[in-house]
Amino acid sequence: MKSPSTLIALTALCQSASTLAFAPTSTGERASKTRCEASRRDFLSTAVTTAGIAASSATLLTPLPGAAKGLGEGGLPDGAAQFSRVIKVKAQLKSVAKRVAEQPDDITKEEWDKIDDFLRTVYSAGNDMKVISKGIFDPSKKEKADEDIKLLQKVVQAAQKPVAQKDVKGFSAIASKADGLFDDFLDQLRDVPDEL
């Protein structure tokens, strides 16, 4: 991307060239007027135009604080960032549960340790869910969402025991329960009536 100063210089050159190219000439003047012979009026109009373009391009080229950052770097506004993280954690939980269920003998001690670390991420998704639930205005749905969040965090805490014991069936059952709580929470966010 070109810097604003480069854009200003290019604009000034283009503007002065176009001003000279289309400047009216009298019948006695020659059409081969050079840039050095430009009048003060041409210079002032070029300077004013260039200053206006520079001011507007500086405004347009300045990135917005949220737009400058990527999705994973906090570039989304509050609420949307938390929702995105919750959706990602839910998908990752399904992936981890599938890996544990389908290939239990291939999971090493290091992988079980990583699963234990991932449970902390799932637990912190509950904090993101608390932020999201602030946007629920129906009192019954808000209460149910809060219950889902508390239960999810308790279930995740309970999952640490099967992970520490490398209990595949115990972890799979708890992961399934957590996935159901994610689904139930997301159902509470819907505000479209069931009749539609």
Side-chain angles (χ1 to χ4, degrees), residues 17-127:
S18 66
T19 302
L20 291 174
F22 298 109
T25 59
S26 65
T27 55
E29 275 187 83
R30 296 187 127 183
S32 62
K33 188 176 183 183
T34 64
R35 201 177 308 169
C36 296
E37 298 171 346
S39 70
R40 282 185 241 153
R41 186 177 306 154
D42 290 340
F43 175 76
L44 288 175
S45 68
T46 301
V48 169
T49 304
T50 303
I53 291 173
S56 63
S57 67
T59 303
L60 294 174
L61 295 177
T62 304
L64 298 173
K69 298 178 182 177
L71 177 65
E73 300 168 354
L76 293 175
D78 284 343
Q82 285 84 356
F83 185 77
S84 175
R85 285 193 296 262
V86 167
I87 296 299
K88 283 182 184 178
V89 168
K90 181 182 182 312
Q92 290 170 347
L93 179 63
K94 278 188 175 186
S95 176
V96 169
K98 181 179 177 183
R99 165 92 165 99
V100 170
E102 291 179 356
Q103 302 168 342
D105 297 332
D106 296 341
I107 299 177
T108 64
K109 181 186 179 332
E110 291 80 25
E111 285 180 290
W112 281 109
D113 291 341
K114 288 181 182 179
I115 292 171
D116 189 45
D117 292 341
F118 174 68
L119 289 176
R120 291 182 182 90
T121 304
V122 176
Y123 185 89
S124 68
N127 296 331

Side-chain angles (χ1 to χ4, degrees), residues 80 125 185:
F185 174 79

